[in-house]
Amino acid sequence: MNTERYDLIVIGAGSAARAAANKAANEYGAKVALIERERWGGSCPNVACSPTKAYLVAAHLAHDVETLANKLGIEVGPATTNLAKVKARKESLKKPQPKWVEELQAAGFDTFEGTASFVDAHTIRVGEKELTADKILVATGSRTAVPPIEGIEEIDWLDHVSALELEELPESLLICGAGAVGLEFGQAFSRFGSKVTIVDALDEIAPHTDQHAAMELREALTDEGIPIILGSFVTKIAARNGRHVATIAPREGGMEQEVEFDRLLLATGRRSNIEQLNLEAAGVATYKLGIVVDERMRTNVPGIWAAGDVNGQALFTPAAQYQARIAVEDMYRTGEGPVADYSVLPTAIFTDPELAGVGLTEMDAEEQGFEAETVVHPLRNVRRASFVDAQHGLYKVVFDRPSRRVLGLHVVAPGASDIVLGFSVAMRLGVTVDELARAHHVFPTFGEGVKAAAEQARISVPARA
């Protein structure tokens, strides 16, 4: 069998894979091989982050035409969505697959298309070739996790990939999962014209976000006409009169209900892509979320690292790139490079309003033993909100009373993602609520709500003498 030697083999071609390949080649002169079996460029630019946001922009515009234009004195007719044209616009923004390969090869990487599998700890088989290297990075990403719903194998369910291929709008859409994917798709398709229902087993939407902020977003979505059924499972799906019927059961027991729908969208979490890697041949340890790694992305096998969704630690594109760079630093500066730190990790759900946060939630701060104090400033008290008739939103600052240090910032507002990003550096440097209160700000912006919250904290929770 034909064998080729490399300094670094990267399995995958998504955000983590490309970040690692670029760093290894540009900073350490590594000869790099990239292996991809499905989608050059990975999920983010092809079927996730970027194309999804193209749909959200279209949905936001349709909603503004329907609800805001006349209030602003703009006379327009009813907004109707041509989903085929929305899809075509999305496709026009994507880079073609051959272009991805061309650019990767132009950057000096050897590309191999096919399914990678370990032969041993330093050898990868792909097709009829074997590649060897002292350093291997697994960055194969994740896919939609399919929940155990009776009858689900009988229907053509959707996920975030296939939903973006629809050209006809479903009359009704049932969504399993009230995390970022379920909420973003739910609001978008509702604004396009589908009757959307969202179901989640947890007691609040948007897990891992601050509960106060999550509740505020839920109220915005329900006021927009999107039913959200919490604390419940979809247990069964059956056909009835040419449509589908879902049986929904409360998690804690109680009366079941039925919801009719045309299409089902699964947004119930992710499952790492590891089954075809033959990790056993290399002895790589796994757990329920993927490959086990330490704070430098090392697996239990020397010479093998794993970054991105495949390790199940922080399923965000910037985090995947961050992990990949940490892994490469460890490859070439063993024990001297940085370790992963997610304490100031900005995250966002791109609904309207957006929900974004950075740092600790109020609950996290209390669990970690801080003497946590919080202040909340409503969006409606920010002047900019009146220009767009915003009814729901807030700015929540979580801080440690003894030190006054800001521990977390949680925002529900238009542009919340940009707001928390702007404050994340200040938080990393240990900014206090008093320093935030004294900071200058631009008026009128949505970001001024953070300063207002900090000023409220300064007055209502003064520093101890």
Side-chain angles (χ1 to χ4, degrees), residues 262-298:
D262 293 308
R263 299 304 300 266
L264 173 71
L265 173 65
L266 298 182
T268 45
R270 308 294 295 171
R271 183 174 180 178
S272 60
N273 294 322
I274 61 175
E275 291 83 0
Q276 295 179 306
L277 290 172
N278 193 29
L279 294 171
E280 299 82 1
V284 175
T286 62
Y287 71 128
K288 65 178 183 178
L289 298 181
I291 295 175
V292 178
V293 297
D294 67 7
E295 69 277 7
R296 288 188 168 90
M297 307 307 125
R298 301 167 181 163

Side-chain angles (χ1 to χ4, degrees), residues 29-366:
K31 180 183 179 183
V32 180
L34 284 167
I35 305 171
E36 176 57 47
R37 69 180 178 90
E38 183 178 13
R39 194 178 290 119
W40 293 100
S43 292
C44 185
N46 289 299
V47 296
C49 320
S50 300
T52 300
K53 303 312 171 282
Y55 274 50
L56 298 181
V57 168
H60 195 159
L61 178 58
H63 184 258
D64 281 354
V65 168
E66 284 292 290
T67 64
L68 190 60
N70 286 334
K71 293 180 181 179
L72 300 183
I74 308 299
E75 297 181 356
V76 293
T80 58
T81 298
N82 184 323
L83 195 58
K85 289 186 176 181
V86 175
K87 176 194 171 187
R89 166 67 175 166
K90 176 261 298 185
E91 290 295 320
S92 72
L93 300 174
K94 289 166 53 177
K95 186 185 298 184
Q97 287 291 290
K99 185 66 173 176
W100 277 108
V101 176
E102 177 186 331
E103 291 182 357
L104 291 169
Q105 292 177 346
F109 309 130
D110 287 352
T111 59
F112 298 87
E113 186 166 345
T115 300
S117 62
F118 279 89
V119 176
D120 56 44
H122 298 290
T123 308
I124 302 295
R125 179 177 293 121
V126 54
E128 298 300 316
K129 293 186 177 181
E130 285 191 351
L131 314 180
T132 65
D134 292 332
K135 303 174 182 65
I136 296 175
L137 176 71
V138 181
T140 48
S142 64
R143 64 187 185 279
T144 299
V146 181
I149 300 174
E150 181 182 344
I152 194 170
E153 68 280 354
E154 303 298 325
I155 70 169
D156 184 21
W157 50 265
L158 302 167
D159 64 2
H160 71 93
V161 179
S162 53
L164 294 175
E165 297 304 308
L166 294 177
E167 295 193 350
E168 292 186 7
L169 195 64
E171 180 179 335
S172 57
L173 180 66
L174 177 63
I175 299 179
C176 291
V181 174
L183 297 174
E184 290 178 5
F185 273 86
Q187 186 179 52
F189 274 82
S190 176
R191 289 180 167 189
F192 288 157
S194 294
K195 180 182 178 181
V196 172
T197 302
I198 301 175
V199 181
D200 197 284
L202 300 180
D203 293 327
E204 188 53 88
I205 67 170
H208 312 304
T209 67
D210 185 85
Q211 288 190 348
H212 197 161
M215 184 183 301
E216 187 76 9
L217 175 58
R218 174 167 52 83
E219 291 177 355
L221 296 174
T222 54
D223 281 359
E224 199 171 300
I226 303 174
I228 301 175
I229 304 171
L230 295 172
S232 300
F233 293 98
V234 175
T235 59
K236 182 180 179 181
I237 293 171
R240 182 186 298 169
N241 300 326
R243 302 189 72 197
H244 302 292
V245 178
T247 301
I248 300 173
R251 187 185 68 231
E252 302 297 336
M255 185 174 294
E256 297 180 343
Q257 61 178 303
E258 292 185 341
V259 173
E260 288 193 351
F261 65 95
D262 293 308
R263 299 304 300 266
L264 173 71
L265 173 65
L266 298 182
T268 45
R270 308 294 295 171
R271 183 174 180 178
S272 60
N273 294 322
I274 61 175
E275 291 83 0
Q276 295 179 306
L277 290 172
N278 193 29
L279 294 171
E280 299 82 1
V284 175
T286 62
Y287 71 128
K288 65 178 183 178
L289 298 181
I291 295 175
V292 178
V293 297
D294 67 7
E295 69 277 7
R296 288 188 168 90
M297 307 307 125
R298 301 167 181 163
T299 70
N300 63 304
V301 179
I304 302 177
W305 292 256
D309 285 10
V310 76
N311 66 34
Q313 290 196 347
L315 278 62
F316 308 102
T317 293
Q321 297 166 335
Y322 169 73
Q323 291 178 358
R325 296 182 185 112
I326 285 176
V328 172
E329 284 290 300
D330 189 58
M331 292 175 191
Y332 291 94
R333 298 171 55 211
T334 305
E336 297 180 4
V339 298
D341 176 10
Y342 307 109
S343 61
V344 186
L345 174 64
T347 63
I349 299 175
F350 292 93
T351 45
D352 174 28
E354 295 178 359
L355 189 164
V358 60
L360 300 179
T361 66
E362 180 179 359
M363 185 178 298
D364 290 338
E366 291 173 350

